[in-house]
Each structure stands twice: as C-alpha cells, then as structure tokens.
Amino acid sequence: AAPPREQWTGQFGFIMSAIGSAVGLGNIWRFPGVAYENGGGAFLIPYLIALVTAGLPILFLDYALGHRFRGSAPTVFRRIGGRIGRFTESLGWFQVAIAFVIGLYYTAIIGWALSYFVFSFDLRWGDDPTSFLTDEYLQVSEPGLSTTFVPGVLIPLVFVWVAVIAVLAAGVKKGLERANVIAIPALGVAFLVLVVRALFLDGAVDGLNALFTPNWAALGDPSVWIAAYSQIFFSLSIAFGIMVTYSSYRKRRANLTTPGLVVAFTNCSFELLAGIGVFATLGFFAFQQGTTIDQLDGITGVGLSFMTFPAIVSQMPGGPLFGCLFFGSLVLAGFTSLISILQVVSAGVQEKFGLTSRSAPVVVGAVSAVLSILLFSTTTGLLALDVMDEWANNIGIEFSAVVVTVLVFWVLRRGRELEYHLNAVSTFKVGRIWLFFVAVLAPVLLTYMLYERIKDLVLDGYSDMPGWYLATFGWGTIVFCIIAAIVLTAFRWVRSPDEFTPWPP
Ligand code: MET
C-alpha cells in the first residue's frame, strides 16, 4: 500500500505556508501599479468589496474542498462529482494547467529579481536602467519566438528551478513547510525595514497622496472592478488549485475558517504596505526629478520593479542596501508562492499517475523548467510574459472560479454539506451569507466581468501587440489549458486515488 497522505506539522506550519503562498510577486510587483491605474484611493473600495464578497468566500470554499475531499485538485473534483466524477475531474486539471502556465513565467520574474539582487551591490544598471533592462539584461527583440538565449537570464532561471524542485521533493513538512517557516519571517523583517526607510525619504508624502487620492469616476468603469477581483484572486492564491491542495494536507480535525481570516488579513495588509512603500519611494523619485508622479513613466508591472526602482536606488543614499532589501523581498515572496504553485501540478500528476512524492516534483519540475527556459530566457521572453499573465489571470482564473461555484453549488448542490464541513471544527462559523456570496453573487458578478473583459480583449486587443501574437500567447494559453484538462482527464488512473488518500473518510 502507498504511504499515508503527507501532512503539515500543525496549524502554525499551515498558516505560514498559506501566507507564503498568498504573499508573492502579486503583492509587491502587481498591486501598487494596479491600484494606481485603477482609481488610486478609490480602488480600495472595489478591492475591499472583492475581498469580502468573493475573496474570503472562495478562500473558504477552496479550504473546504481540499480538506473534505483530501486530494489535489483533480482528485477533489473527481470525488465531489460522484457519478459524473469522470467529467468533473477535468475542472481540477484546468486549474492544474493554469497553475502550470503561471509557474512558467512566475519563475522568470523571480530569476530576474535574483539577478537584480546581485546587481544592487554595485548598481550595475548604471545611469539608464530602462535600456539596461531591455537592451543589456533581457536583450528584448520584436514579438515572435526567438531561439537566441540570454545567458544572464538563463542562469538564475535554472537556479530557481533547481531550488524549487529540491524543496518540493523534500516533501510537505521537510520541504514546503520548512522553507516557509524560514523565509516568511525573514521577508516580514526585510520588507518592514524597506517600507519604514521609504517613508522617511523626501517626497514620500506626495507619493502616498498620489496612491491614495481617489478618482471616484473610476468606480463606474467595469474594468476597474475586474482588476480588483482579479487582483484578489491572484493575491489570495484562490480558484486555481493552490488552496485546495494546501488544505488537503491539514489534519482531519482542523479549524479552517479562522486561519483563513488570518491569512487573508496578513496578505491584504502586506499588499497595502507594499503600496505604501512603493509609492513613498516613487514620491521621492518625482521629488528628485522636480516633477509629479503622474508625469513618471513605468510605474506598473515589470517597469516598476525593474526600471523605475533601479533608477531610484541609484539616486538614494544607501541605495545598494535598499536595492538588496527590495529585490531580496521579491525573491523571498516570489519563491514561497512558486513552491505552492508547482505543488498544485506536482500533486495532481502524482496522484493520477501513481508517482511518489519525490519523483512527481522532479518529473513535473523538469518539464516545466524546460518550457520556462525556452519561453523566457530568450530575447522574446518579456513580451510573452506580459500577455500570458494578462490572460491567465483575467480570463483563466476568473473562468475557473465561475465554473467551480456553478458546479459545486448548482449542479452538484453540495453547499450545505460544505457549510457543515467548514463549521464542524472552525471557531468562525459561516452561514447563509457565505452561501449567498459564494453561490450567487460571485458567479453572477464574475460571469458579467468575464464577458466584459473578453469583449474588450477581442475588440481592442492588448497593448498594441499584433493579433497573431495575442492569439498565440493569450488565447492560446486558455486553449492550452482546456486541451490539457480534457487530455489529462482522459488518461486512466494508475491507482485509485482512494488508495493513497483514503476515501470516504
Ligand atoms: N498569491 C501569489 C501572489 O500574490 C500568486 C499566486 S502563487 C504563484 O503573487
């Protein structure tokens, strides 16, 4: 017989690991720019509404699914499907596929951050960090598929892949949990020092004003709401298998909702803190240039972390230390999320194909690493990354959330059972309001937003990129996930999942 299912040591290990997953590049690299672009201070309203109406409810749903049905996403959706489990399993594989795709580019950004951590010591980017990034470091060429590898990008990327495979192969307790228990406190300290330092820079207050001054008109724009919901899903690591997988390693009698509140609160606090730190720093930059923040370029996404920040670090007293703290934080935050994302893929493959917890990460990691290296260590990596991120997050994850909620609550009608399961041991009880949010409000809102987003992308394209390119890397990503879901569902289970994760309990 196969060994029993792996477990966290206890609640603390789980909470640290769940925070490790939630607090990631999304908090530092994505949130500040998204908030700024979508109404600044006014963005906090859709953000908080998204948190309460969909973020927390779906976080609890993911916990309940993983914990009750005790498996990776495909196992969970097969089990909950009962007689139609052969079909519902595909939803689990769809989530695995999204996690797989995100893992490919997520690693690339961690690799860049690792390079920039080293570059911080001697401010390697020189006087023009923008051209340093695109011309010298990434050596960006026209959109396309290049086979010219860039060694400076390739080497850290390989390093990140080896590290993540090693952590996963060491197992849930000795690998994932241990990595998080060490990295998360370190991240907390480093980031706090960074933010406090930023607040004492000249111009910091102007930066905060730029971030928090509300543009109320933005609230009437559906794309602002979509951005808020996408950000919450990505940031809490929900609706694409991560929390399902992580909660399946919890002990049988476990308090589910209370740790969920702790994790969500910590994540959102960290996110706001990142917004404050980043904008205080931008305020300083604007002050130095004798301009205002709205005149600055590159305060979102890749540009913010890898062009604007290096420029600021160069102008700052004690810049190298500040740079190390910033890029070191990115590496720690990113890595602890990356291990959760690869675990989704690894656990799914492990269970279906009867692999061991040691061999699965090696197989899955090797395949992912090769693809990731092919896509992102060549001269066309940056563009592919931007497009894949947009589609995976704004289409893939939201689509998955809609299908999960409709399937679980309307097709299979398992709402009361999951409510009961959540309440059995948890101290924070959920009830009718939870059911209403997760079963009615979330699917309705998300369906509408998905429709709007798809319409926009079809009619207006994205960032002036050529249509064929969006078809390949954007829509292609979604098509890839759907095909992967169908194909992986069609394979036979090497062993029944019930052998290694006993079911029914
Ligand atoms: N929650 C993570 C973040 O905010 C993303 C999911 S795990 C790759 O970056």
Side-chain angles (χ1 to χ4, degrees):
R5 189 165 189 76
E6 295 183 90
Q7 284 191 343
W8 307 108
T9 5
Q11 179 146 298
F12 177 74
F14 167 73
I15 290 182
M16 290 310 256
S17 306
I19 291 175
S21 170
V23 173
L25 299 176
N27 299 58
I28 307 175
W29 167 75
R30 224 165 167 272
F31 174 80
V34 170
Y36 179 73
E37 275 194 330
N38 291 284
F43 183 73
L44 295 180
I45 293 171
Y47 178 78
L48 290 175
I49 292 179
L51 172 67
V52 173
T53 59
L56 278 171
I58 295 181
L59 180 69
F60 291 162
L61 173 63
D62 271 0
Y63 281 179
L65 288 170
H67 190 251
R68 179 157 185 78
F69 298 97
R70 307 199 72 70
S72 64
T75 303
V76 164
F77 285 105
R78 184 181 180 91
R79 284 177 170 170
I80 196 177
R83 275 182 299 126
I84 55 164
R86 276 190 308 132
F87 303 103
T88 54
E89 179 190 328
S90 57
L91 180 52
W93 288 113
F94 183 75
Q95 296 193 333
V96 167
I98 296 185
F100 175 79
V101 168
I102 294 179
L104 299 181
Y105 68 78
Y106 208 82
T107 340
I109 305 172
I110 300 172
W112 302 349
L114 202 57
S115 299
Y116 273 68
F117 176 78
V118 176
F119 297 165
S120 296
F121 288 94
D122 58 358
L123 306 176
R124 183 94 45 98
W125 43 75
D127 300 330
D128 185 357
T130 301
S131 65
F132 176 83
L133 177 75
T134 54
D135 302 345
E136 275 180 58
Y137 181 63
L138 296 175
Q139 304 180 12
V140 178
S141 57
E142 289 291 296
L145 254 188
S146 111
T147 48
T148 313
F149 288 95
V150 185
V153 180
L154 177 75
I155 293 164
L157 185 55
V158 170
F159 185 81
V160 175
W161 276 109
V162 170
V164 69
I165 293 171
V167 168
L168 258 61
V172 169
K173 267 191 199 123
K174 295 207 173 116
L176 298 159
E177 181 175 323
R178 191 175 288 174
N180 280 300
V181 167
I182 297 170
I184 290 303
L187 170 64
V189 173
F191 207 70
L192 218 54
V193 173
L194 183 84
V195 173
V196 171
R197 169 72 188 105
L199 285 176
F200 286 99
L201 292 165
D202 291 328
V205 175
D206 301 328
L208 298 186
N209 280 334
L211 175 63
F212 289 115
T213 304
N215 164 17
W216 297 110
L219 295 183
D221 179 353
S223 72
V224 168
W225 290 84
I226 297 169
Y229 277 81
S230 302
Q231 177 63 29
I232 279 289
F233 286 4
F234 188 72
S235 186
L236 289 176
S237 302
I238 54 177
F240 54 119
I242 295 186
M243 285 305 147
V244 170
T245 310
Y246 264 25
S247 55
S248 75
Y249 301 120
R250 297 207 56 195
K251 300 209 160 93
R252 254 184 215 297
R253 291 185 55 78
N255 186 338
L256 297 173
T257 51
T258 318
L261 292 175
V262 173
V263 171
F265 178 78
T266 310
N267 179 63
C268 294
S269 312
F270 194 99
E271 201 142 81
L272 287 174
L273 203 64
I276 291 171
V278 164
F279 272 81
T281 316
L282 289 171
F284 162 76
F285 192 48
F287 176 85
Q288 290 271 308
Q289 316 243 310
T291 174
T292 52
I293 289 201
D294 53 357
Q295 304 294 321
L296 296 175
D297 286 330
I299 47 181
T300 58
V302 174
L304 173 67
S305 300
F306 296 98
M307 297 175 185
T308 311
F309 251 79
I312 301 173
V313 164
S314 293
Q315 296 192 6
M316 192 183 276
L321 177 64
F322 196 84
C324 286
L325 284 173
F326 179 75
F327 291 108
S329 296
L330 267 184
V331 171
L332 289 178
F335 190 76
T336 49
S337 299
L338 178 67
I339 54 184
S340 73
I341 209 150
L342 202 68
Q343 183 70 13
V344 172
V345 189
S346 171
V349 169
Q350 181 194 336
E351 288 167 23
K352 178 125 195 184
F353 297 98
L355 304 181
T356 63
S357 60
R358 240 174 230 288
S359 58
V362 176
V363 172
V364 166
V367 173
S368 312
V370 168
L371 260 176
S372 163
I373 288 166
L374 285 176
L375 282 170
F376 299 112
S377 62
T378 62
T379 53
T380 43
L382 177 63
L383 297 161
L385 189 149
D386 188 20
V387 175
M388 283 167 72
D389 181 51
E390 171 73 18
W391 263 262
N393 283 310
N394 288 334
I395 311 278
I397 298 180
E398 305 225 356
F399 177 70
S400 158
V402 171
V403 180
V404 172
T405 48
V406 170
L407 176 79
V408 168
F409 295 100
W410 297 102
V411 179
L412 303 170
R413 303 195 151 269
R414 304 296 275 269
R416 298 310 295 267
E417 174 188 340
L418 292 170
E419 178 191 340
Y420 183 80
H421 186 87
L422 279 174
N423 288 339
V425 181
S426 302
T427 40
F428 176 84
K429 308 286 181 200
V430 299
R432 284 292 152 89
I433 297 182
W434 174 71
L435 272 176
F436 172 73
F437 281 164
V438 77
V440 182
L441 194 62
V444 170
L445 281 177
L446 291 173
T447 304
Y448 167 72
M449 291 194 263
L450 204 55
Y451 165 77
E452 286 288 328
R453 189 73 203 136
I454 292 175
K455 199 177 72 181
D456 263 10
L457 288 171
V458 169
L459 296 181
D460 302 340
Y462 179 71
S463 280
D464 297 326
M465 288 194 208
W468 69 268
Y469 195 73
L470 300 183
T472 315
F473 287 98
W475 301 110
T477 297
I478 304 297
V479 171
F480 165 82
C481 292
I482 293 173
I483 293 177
I486 296 171
V487 171
L488 286 158
T489 307
F491 274 103
R492 280 165 60 91
W493 286 74
V494 171
R495 267 187 293 178
S496 159
D498 306 352
E499 266 183 51
F500 51 87
T501 135
W503 180 261

